Structure formats: C-alpha cells, structure tokens
Amino acid sequence: MLSRREFLKFALGGATAAAAFLSYPVGEAMARPIVASYRLKPPGWTPGLSLRAALLADLHAASPWMTVDRIREICEQTNALNPDIILLLGDFSTAMRMLTNTIAPDDWAPALSGLRAPLGVHAILGNHDYWHDAAFQRDTSVEPLAQTALTKVGIPVYVNKSIRLEKNGNPFWLAGLGDLLAVKLGIDDLPGTLSQITDAAPIILLAHEPDIFPLVTDRVSITLCGHTHGGQVNIFGWRPIVPSNFGSRYVGGHVVEHGRHMIISRGLGCTGLPLRLMSPPEIVLLELN
C-alpha cells in the first residue's frame, strides 16, 4: 500500500508527465518553421534554367495560433532564403475549432504583402478558403474573399489559369489549378488550365490537394501541393488522419510516380486542433536546376 505522501508524489509526477506530453504537440505547432529543402532537375526542365522557389502552404490564420505577427515573422524568414519566386499553395483561412478570434482576409493578406522575390509572389487558394466563405458557398460566381484580399495587396491568384514567366531569358509556366474540394464537385479544370500553354517551356503546376497527381500529364515538369499537413500527427510513422483519398501515399515530401515529380509541403498551420507531432511547420525551399 502506498502512503498518502507516496500516492501524492506519484500522482503529481503522473500529472506533470501528462502535461508535458500534451503540451509538446502544441509547442511544435507554434514553433519556428523548419526549412525543408529539395534540389532536383525534373523531366522537361530547360538546361541552364536555375530556379529557387520558396513554398508556403496552409497558414490557417487564427488567433492565437497563427497571428498576423507570426505570419510576418514567417514572411521575414522566407525572404531571408533569397528565393527567385515565392509560391503560396492555399488554405490561408482558419480551420481551427479552438481559437479566440478569427482573422479576416483583410488582416492576414497585408502581412503576406511583405514577401519579396524578383519573380514575384503567386498564389492559389485551398479548400478552406472556399468552405469558410459563406458568400461563395451561396453563389460560386462570387469572387472568394481570400482572392480579393490577396489581389488587393498585389499578390495574383490563379484559378485554372496559366502564366508565362522568364528568368535570365529562359521561360517557364506557372499553372494554377482551381481547388478540388471548393464545392461538392470541385472547381478544378486541369485540361483547360494546361490548354493555355503555348510553347514547349517547362510547366510548374500549383494544386492545393495532391490527389490530382494521378491525372497530371508528363507535360508538367513538377507539381507543387499542400493540404496534408504531413498528417499533422505522426506517431513513429502512424498518422491517424491524412486528408487524401490515397492516404499516406501523398502525406508529404518528394513523390515520384511513373517519372513524374511532386513536392507536397507539410504546411505551417493546423486544422481542427492546434497540435503537431513529429510533423513540424515548414517552409519548402525548392531548387530546380
């Protein structure tokens, strides 16, 4: 039998261990992002075209977890990587159940205006940017609030649209896909987006959800996605939830299938609860050369 003092000591130790165990995932979620670096030459890439891209995904702006000040700090960290181009892969809006205040697009978008890169900052939207926009859900012809806010601060948003850019005289294309989950049947139009390509320059496809990848043609050099958060909770390789119809096949990182390449960012914010476990927030630095 334990004495009263021994029992209290045991209970206090257990409570302390439980508190530490529960607080770690919150601390990881709030940590300074790591930089996940990838360097590759994807198929169809132009010899001599060296492109350094920073990818930001899944900010999920919400107080107190992803505040405007924290977004500004992430922008400063991104700028310090000296990217040629910055690509925003959607889900700027909150997806949190535990928050004190929702952060409106007109508040988080100006923080992103501090991003700087010679070839500009370019964005697509994610499912939560549509799901939490009541006006868009009532009428899909209305421009989403997130798109309006980003455009207002000078960040173009691509919805089934392709644009041609150049670095040192070498052209490439950015193709921004509409979201697969924005409404019941999605608003993505991959054939229509790629039909806007008018020459043989390499294509970078921006798509919030990686589930589009099996439909991507060999004409695309590389596909860039977010959405999964790396599962957000990773217990030694076991991830209870991966928001993909393909499960852990597209959980995050560099995926190569049938010679086609995809990078999936594990993102910055959280969905549901402010927890990350062995899946820290990350900025992706992608070097294509």
Side-chain angles (χ1 to χ4, degrees):
M1 296 289 292
L2 292 174
S3 68
R4 183 171 181 274
R5 177 177 294 180
E6 289 171 331
F7 173 78
L8 290 174
K9 183 178 179 181
F10 177 80
L12 180 61
T16 301
F21 176 79
L22 293 173
S23 66
Y24 177 82
V26 176
E28 183 172 307
M30 297 293 291
R32 178 179 171 86
I34 65 169
V35 177
S37 297
Y38 303 91
R39 190 173 193 173
L40 64 144
K41 181 179 179 180
W45 197 250
T46 303
L49 173 54
S50 178
L51 188 69
R52 185 177 173 92
L55 318 182
L56 304 181
D58 303 288
L59 280 160
H60 292 300
S63 179
W65 315 109
M66 183 61 74
T67 63
V68 169
D69 285 343
R70 188 179 179 201
I71 293 171
R72 289 196 184 103
E73 291 172 359
I74 290 170
C75 291
E76 292 173 1
Q77 185 180 356
T78 303
N79 290 340
L81 298 174
N82 296 314
D84 298 314
I85 192 169
I86 298 174
L87 305 174
L88 309 180
L89 300 177
D91 269 5
F92 306 94
S93 301
T94 184
M96 295 289 295
R97 298 171 186 164
M98 297 174 60
L99 51 87
T100 56
N101 288 296
T102 299
I103 300 176
D106 282 339
D107 293 323
W108 54 251
L112 291 170
S113 69
L115 291 167
R116 295 286 182 269
L119 296 179
V121 182
H122 309 264
I124 58 171
L125 300 183
N127 54 302
H128 287 282
D129 301 317
Y130 294 99
W131 288 357
H132 303 292
D133 188 328
F136 177 84
Q137 291 298 322
R138 286 193 301 268
D139 179 1
T140 57
S141 69
V142 173
E143 182 173 271
L145 293 173
Q147 183 173 352
T148 301
L150 287 165
T151 303
K152 191 185 299 183
V153 299
I155 299 175
V157 178
Y158 306 113
V159 182
N160 299 321
K161 181 179 178 182
S162 298
I163 65 159
R164 190 177 187 270
L165 299 172
E166 288 189 5
K167 184 188 176 191
N168 298 331
N170 292 307
F172 64 95
W173 291 85
L174 280 185
L177 192 64
D179 192 74
L180 277 68
L181 303 174
V183 291
K184 187 174 181 180
L185 297 177
I187 59 171
D188 54 298
D189 182 2
L190 182 59
T193 304
L194 297 183
S195 71
Q196 301 165 34
I197 309 299
T198 57
D199 60 29
I203 302 170
I204 298 172
L205 177 66
L206 312 181
H208 180 67
E209 291 93 358
D211 285 14
I212 194 66
F213 193 50
L215 302 178
V216 175
T217 70
D218 293 342
R219 178 65 183 86
V220 173
S221 290
I222 191 164
T223 302
L224 307 179
C225 303
H227 185 64
T228 67
H229 300 201
Q232 198 165 300
V233 172
N234 172 13
I235 304 173
F236 302 106
W238 177 63
R239 299 170 176 87
I241 299 175
V242 179
S244 166
N245 290 330
F246 298 93
S248 292
R249 174 175 165 185
Y250 295 153
V251 71
H254 184 194
V255 176
V256 181
E257 291 184 353
H258 309 294
R260 294 174 292 112
H261 291 252
M262 174 170 61
I263 300 291
I264 307 167
S265 170
R266 293 177 175 86
L268 294 154
C270 296
T271 297
L273 296 173
L275 305 174
R276 278 180 175 262
L277 181 62
M278 297 177 68
S279 184
E282 69 177 26
I283 298 167
V284 171
L285 181 62
L286 175 61
E287 295 185 78
L288 302 173
N289 52 48

